[in-house]
Amino acid sequence: MKDSKQGKKPGLRARIKNGISMPIAHKLVLSFILVSILSTAIFTYTGIRLMANRIVAETQDRIRNDLNAAREIYTGEARHINDVVRLNARRPIIQEALLNGDSENIENDLINVKESEALDFLTLTDEYGNVIMRTNFPYHSGDNLAEDAVINTVMNNKVTVNATTIIPQEELQAESSVLAEKARFNIIDTPMARPSTKSEETSGMAIVSASPVFDDGQNLIGILYGGLLLNKNYELVDKVKQTVFQNVVYKGKDIGTATIFQDDVRISTNVLNTDGSRAIGTRIAEDVYDVVITQGEPWMGRAYVVNDWYITAYEPIRNVSGAVIGILYVGILEQKYLDIRNQAVMAFGIISLIVILFSIGLSYFLSRSISVPVHRLVLASKELSNGNLDAKVEKTSNDEIGILADSFNSMANALRERDDQLKEFTRRKFMESERLALIGQLAANVAHELNNPLQGIVTYSHLLLERNNIDNPTQQLLQKVVVQANRSRDIIRGLLDFSRQRKPDKTLCNINNLLQESLSFLENQALMHNIELVTQFENDLPSIVIDPSQVQRVFINMIVNASEAMNGNGRLTMTTRRFSETDSIEIVFSDTGTGIPEENLEKIFDPFFTTKETGHGVGLGLAISYGIIKEHGGTISVESEVGKGTSFHIRLPISTDTVYSEDGKPA
Ligand SMILES: Nc1ncnc2c1ncn2[C@@H]1O[C@H](COP(=O)(O)OP(=O)(O)OP(=O)(O)O)[C@@H](O)[C@H]1O
Ligand SMILES: [Mg+2]
């Protein structure tokens, strides 16, 4: 069945496996950008977080201090009232007036004290809390203040009491309608404020002090009771704003604000409504109320005050019995710190952007500095592979790419040199073979021409020798003629063999047998008598297709050369084996003869190269052998060490078409 996916583009997985083909420069730029964006993002995030946390911590510290300062101002005021009331209660004039019952005497005096010390009321009662004298018009007297918590405490404990207290409307009314009116205001709804059913506030909150008046016998004869109504009294909060926040204005708004709450309602504040009026009558946020009023704990944090976000601190104001009746508040406009934070974020953002842009530039530059030389290398290697061996790469740096460029250039150089050498070698070889062909031609002609006359010389000198009537010296001379003529005939035959372009007459042959046969031809010769012959034949060599007489000639040449090199004394080892690498049969002739000097190794296969004395060697044996082996598609090579011996390796290919068994029949 045919694969249904055949012909489709490779899938994503395959593409990923093969590597997405993206230029190296893009990969570098991309990874650089990723790294820089990631690190800058982390850097920016942590930087902003740290900075924001720092700012929050700073502002909380500051607001805590500001609240302390505000409390200090508040208690300072309370102390002042306390001092005024306490000191006046000790004045003999008061004591006398109480003892004598003539309060008119001190009326002006106490009015003066109230005015000069900026109190809202200063009232004298007897030891039972009955009002003897008031300093506010219309100077009501005769009512009883024993129910008032502060007066009550003084009556019971006979000590000065200094406290913040809630004064009910009737008591305020008794004091003066002006005061009652000052305390009263409507409750206003603001966003996020605590919901309430009340629409009006009629009681008042005051910082008060009540001090006992004693007679000389330390008996309580009266109480002096003075105080400052906090409702719509802005002196305290403005003093806080001035001393703590130095009246600093930020974007048209007071940076710092202070407020005094009566329960949950602002009775004295410099927080402003949108219309610019003081936010009197507005109420606290519910969550803050729960903590400060209900639980009696201070509260610190972001809060929405009237119509802006502030960083705030609230703490409870308690009455004489410790119950929470109000709150002291300070707040700093959050906007300023938001702006600082935003500026910091902006600065961080800009820095990050610059860093990213810079790193993009840098990565582009760096990647180019890598990719451009790599690209050049790629181009040069393409040129090289197309055959231009003059291809070169310019070295532009000393780094690995520089080293690569150097290596490339030296590789190209080496290739060029090799190429030149190869060209020179083939040229020489070509000339040599031309020369050899010429020599061969010449030799063949000369040999052919000389063959017949020489044949005549041999025949006639034999005929002469056969005559009986020749004397001894003549016979000796004739014998020399025969020897030399035979020798000349041998040379001529060699020459003819060498030059003859005879095609080999090939049949299936077993190399081991052929070699054994060649040995038996020579064994009986005198030169071989003292030579140890060692044969190491591999047993099941396949038979191969060769011209047996030609190959035997090669073997005989090898054995004779070895015997001559050993001067008839030594060991000749003949090895046959299957050489699987080139699928051929290898025949090795190793002797322990004189060896061949290095400088001769190249020449021994040349025709007429011989080191043997004249008359002993023509120098054609190896040249002919070489030609025969080549004709058979084989190789012949030599290894030699002077003084130790020589090994000739002959390799003849096994026919790949047919594999033959040992007995010569196809397997
Ligand atoms: N086994 C060997 N050990 C040492 N030298 C050798 C050996 N075989 C060949 N040679 C060297 O190679 C030369 C050439 O050998 P080659 O057989 O071609 O010629 P030759 O033996 O000198 O003469 P001939 O034509 O009679 O064979 C020899 O003269 C000899 O110097
Ligand atoms: Mg020879």
Side-chain angles (χ1 to χ4, degrees), residues 556-558 560-562 564 610 612 616-622 625:
I556 290 172
N557 268 335
M558 291 294 143
V560 170
N561 275 353
E564 283 173 352
T610 180
K612 290 165 192 168
H616 282 91
V618 185
L620 282 174
L622 283 180
S625 301

Side-chain angles (χ1 to χ4, degrees), residues 561-562 565 591 596 604 609-612 617-622 646 648:
N561 275 353
D591 63 50
I596 306 166
I604 56 171
F609 176 81
T610 180
T611 54
K612 290 165 192 168
V618 185
L620 282 174
L622 283 180
T646 307
F648 278 91

Side-chain angles (χ1 to χ4, degrees), residues 64-92:
R64 195 173 294 122
N65 289 336
D66 291 349
L67 184 67
N68 289 343
R71 189 197 308 121
E72 209 36 58
I73 289 168
Y74 188 89
T75 48
E77 187 60 41
R79 260 199 310 277
H80 166 71
I81 295 168
N82 197 37
D83 288 346
V84 171
V85 173
R86 195 167 43 86
L87 293 177
N88 275 291
R90 292 201 185 148
R91 286 170 66 197

Side-chain angles (χ1 to χ4, degrees), residues 78 150 161-165 206-209 318-320:
V150 178
V161 173
N162 187 202
T164 306
T165 189
I207 305 174
V208 297
S209 181
R318 296 172 189 277
N319 68 6
V320 70

